[in-house]
Amino acid sequence: MYHVASFKKFWYICNVHFHRFKMSNNDWKSRLGVVFSTSPDFAYTTADDEPEVETLAPERQNLRIRLERKGRGGKTASIVDGFVGSDDDLESLAKMLKSKLGTGGSAKDGIIIIQGDVRDRLVELLLKAGYSRTKKG
């Protein structure tokens, strides 16, 4: 009986220390790409550390509109390229365009994808919204 009690106490102490150590050093998941650095001044930065891009004013945005058919199962999509700004502003612009056009689409990485060939209507809507440097290609 004595051995079981001492083992339980040992197991409890090991578990407590293991979880305390595990929780304090749980940032390894955020730096999975870095294996080793020989520099003593190396400071690992994550995507969260990078400052967010400031959104340019609509009249300073260089937006390009093009039609894309490849990789979409034969369906066409109008692509709006060149947006410089935050993801929230990109999403709000995409939401406005999709609602005015009555189509679906998505927005990510500075690109807005609108379903269908609506390039002419896209140019009109973007010019009305103040995006004067919009070109159709």
Side-chain angles (χ1 to χ4, degrees):
M1 267 296 186
Y2 180 73
H3 294 291
V4 173
S6 63
F7 178 74
K8 285 184 179 180
K9 185 177 181 182
F10 171 75
W11 183 253
Y12 174 76
I13 290 171
C14 287
N15 261 344
V16 168
H17 289 293
F18 172 74
H19 286 295
R20 187 176 305 153
F21 174 75
K22 182 180 173 189
M23 297 305 277
S24 65
N25 293 328
N26 201 15
D27 67 339
W28 63 272
K29 291 180 182 178
S30 64
R31 46 189 174 89
L32 284 175
V34 175
V35 178
F36 183 75
S37 175
T38 58
S39 173
D41 300 326
F42 179 75
Y44 184 80
T45 59
T46 60
D48 298 337
D49 297 341
E50 296 174 9
E52 192 165 320
V53 178
E54 221 177 281
T55 304
L56 291 177
E59 59 273 358
R60 294 184 58 209
Q61 296 275 0
N62 280 332
L63 300 181
R64 303 281 183 255
I65 301 172
R66 60 184 163 85
L67 190 65
E68 194 172 280
R69 289 188 184 98
K70 294 182 181 178
R72 305 201 180 275
K75 296 183 169 90
T76 58
S78 300
I79 311 292
V80 180
D81 265 353
F83 185 85
V84 177
S86 68
D87 291 337
D88 294 335
D89 293 334
L90 179 69
E91 286 288 336
S92 65
L93 177 62
K95 186 175 181 179
M96 184 270 297
L97 292 173
K98 290 187 300 185
S99 66
K100 298 244 181 185
L101 293 169
T103 63
S106 64
K108 62 180 178 181
D109 300 329
I111 298 173
I112 300 173
I113 302 170
I114 304 290
Q115 295 173 356
D117 185 4
V118 289
R119 292 176 291 174
D120 297 329
R121 292 174 57 198
L122 269 173
V123 170
E124 291 173 16
L125 288 173
L126 289 170
L127 289 174
K128 283 181 186 176
Y131 295 89
S132 58
R133 293 175 145 186
T134 304
K135 289 187 181 178
K136 181 175 127 181

